[in-house]
Amino acid sequence: MTDHATTSTSRTLPPPAPTLTERLRAIPHRVRVVIALAIVYLIWGSTFLANGVAVTSIPPFLMLAVRFLLAGSILYAIATWRARRRVTHRPPTWRQWRHAFVTGATLLVGGTGLVTAGQVHLGSGMAALLCSTVPLWLAVVARVRFGDRLRARSWVGLAVGLVGVGTLVDPSGGQLVPMLVVLLGALSWAVGSLRSRTADVHTAPLVASAMEMLGAGVGFLLVGLLLGEPARLDVAAIDRVSVVALAYLITAGSIVAFTAYRWLLNNVATVLVGSHGYVNPVVAVGLGWAFAGELVTSRTLLGGGIVLIAVVLMVTSRPEQPVPAQATSGGDVFAGERRWRIGTVHVDWRTLGGRSERPREGRRPAEVTPS
């Protein structure tokens, strides 16, 4: 009996099953890059359609209040749980909460809110094309506010983008006001992104992003109350499709794709990450045409194509500048203590997504520490 017990305990125990993190790290880097890019392209490209579906039976600002309060709460719980494992973790201060509320108001209420409000009377594909002008606005605001120097290709991109927007915006088409509202939302998103990128707030990035979502949720609720949306809300009339679209925006749009984008910022070349700026609108136009029956006119194709060429010129002319997440993503990738620093780098395109960047001679190297 004793010999049998001794023999049993002396047997080699099987190794523990690998954790989910270990399994993910075992996936080849290029495969992870392709998966993350596919998530960002498809999910963020589809958020315009989801926005349009959600506001069919839910007032836009109340819908966004629910989205950001729930998404922010989930992300804040996850982020604080991760941050507590660090010895240096400290809970956010009132100053950090105040900054999060102000940035959330500019970036999310002003950006996402105006884009969504415009979508009440505008197709998802057109909204996506107009919203893709964020890199153009970003360059203009950085030039005016911070005196950033623009390369010749950037100036060409701005000129081409202006022509594209002029082609898209048809004053006689009956949609001038919602188009201008979406463009104003793209401008507000660019301003909020620059404010977040330059702010000196020492908070863990995911915690800061979640705080901004919560601040935006409160802001959306206040705007909805001021506009009298509760009086127009008919709970019994909310259809199942709108609820599914809202749940999709909370989980996939604000958490899954946002997390994938942050991972890409930390693991691949900046220009490759910025490619979502001209891929997502194409996805949005295709989904709007296929599932919402949105009309794609020759004017839309021409103007949209010109705008996307301008975005390509802007992104590739400023490889050291990360492109912010799109306005319907619901997240601020520049939040927190670890942000992109301005510098000049050279991108080696011989590797897919591999960070093979080196400083150009005579220039200050870029500090790449987003999260």
Side-chain angles (χ1 to χ4, degrees):
M1 183 77 174
T2 305
D3 294 341
H4 176 71
T6 303
T7 305
S8 300
T9 55
S10 63
R11 292 176 182 173
T12 303
L13 296 176
T19 63
L20 178 60
T21 302
E22 291 172 341
R23 291 177 180 176
L24 291 176
R25 288 176 178 173
I27 300 174
H29 179 75
R30 291 193 178 191
V31 176
R32 281 184 285 167
V33 170
V34 170
I35 293 174
L37 283 173
I39 290 174
V40 171
Y41 291 162
L42 296 177
I43 291 181
W44 278 354
S46 63
T47 52
F48 290 95
L49 179 61
N51 261 345
V53 172
V55 297
T56 56
S57 60
I58 308 175
F61 289 100
L62 290 184
M63 183 274 291
L64 291 171
V66 173
R67 174 188 177 184
F68 284 104
L69 287 174
L70 289 179
S73 299
I74 295 171
L75 191 62
Y76 187 80
I78 296 173
T80 51
W81 174 77
R82 292 179 55 186
R84 285 195 186 100
R85 296 183 296 175
R86 303 174 184 171
V87 178
T88 58
H89 168 68
R90 293 181 181 178
T93 63
W94 283 111
R95 174 177 174 273
Q96 292 165 344
W97 276 109
R98 184 175 67 251
H99 171 270
F101 270 62
V102 173
T103 303
T106 306
L107 188 74
L108 300 174
V109 178
T112 309
L114 289 175
V115 171
T116 305
Q119 281 198 251
V120 175
H121 304 287
L122 196 65
S124 58
M126 179 61 71
L129 291 172
L130 293 173
C131 204
S132 67
T133 58
V134 166
L136 281 67
W137 294 119
L138 203 64
V140 171
V141 175
R143 172 64 180 173
V144 174
R145 177 65 178 82
F146 302 106
D148 284 9
R149 296 181 60 184
L150 299 181
R151 301 183 178 94
R153 186 186 297 183
S154 297
W155 287 110
V156 173
L158 287 174
V160 172
L162 183 63
V163 172
V165 171
T167 304
L168 284 174
V169 178
D170 181 9
S172 62
Q175 293 184 323
L176 178 60
V177 172
M179 285 182 173
L180 294 178
V181 168
V182 172
L183 285 173
L184 184 59
L187 172 60
S188 181
W189 184 266
V191 172
S193 296
L194 279 177
R195 183 185 188 281
S196 176
R197 188 189 305 182
T198 57
D200 183 20
V201 179
H202 300 285
T203 314
L206 283 180
V207 174
S209 299
M211 290 165 60
E212 290 175 8
M213 290 184 187
L214 291 171
V218 175
F220 281 123
L221 184 59
L222 293 176
V223 173
L225 292 174
L226 291 174
L227 294 178
E229 287 190 347
R232 302 197 304 269
L233 176 64
D234 185 357
V235 178
I238 299 177
D239 55 47
R240 185 178 301 177
V241 179
S242 294
V243 174
V244 172
L246 176 56
Y248 179 80
L249 289 169
I250 294 171
T251 55
S254 294
I255 298 176
V256 177
F258 178 65
T259 304
Y261 190 70
R262 290 196 68 94
W263 182 87
L264 286 169
L265 276 176
N266 204 26
N267 288 274
V268 304
T270 310
V271 179
L272 182 58
V273 181
S275 62
H276 80 86
Y278 39 88
V279 174
N280 290 353
V282 176
V283 174
V285 171
L287 292 176
W289 171 79
F291 295 100
E294 296 178 0
L295 183 63
V296 181
T297 64
S298 57
R299 187 188 190 102
T300 302
L301 292 175
L302 177 60
I306 295 174
V307 168
L308 294 184
I309 290 173
V311 174
V312 172
L313 290 171
M314 294 301 302
V315 172
T316 56
S317 69
R318 296 158 61 89
E320 74 283 358
Q321 295 282 0
V323 179
Q326 71 178 32
T328 57
S329 65
D332 176 16
V333 296
F334 300 125
E337 60 188 353
R338 290 177 290 172
R339 271 178 295 274
W340 292 83
R341 309 295 184 187
I342 297 177
T344 305
V345 295
H346 170 70
V347 180
D348 186 352
W349 285 97
R350 290 175 296 181
T351 58
L352 173 61
R355 183 166 292 286
S356 54
E357 301 179 354
R358 59 178 175 80
R360 288 179 182 172
E361 296 181 0
R363 300 295 187 99
R364 179 174 56 84
E367 301 175 26
V368 186
T369 55
S371 62

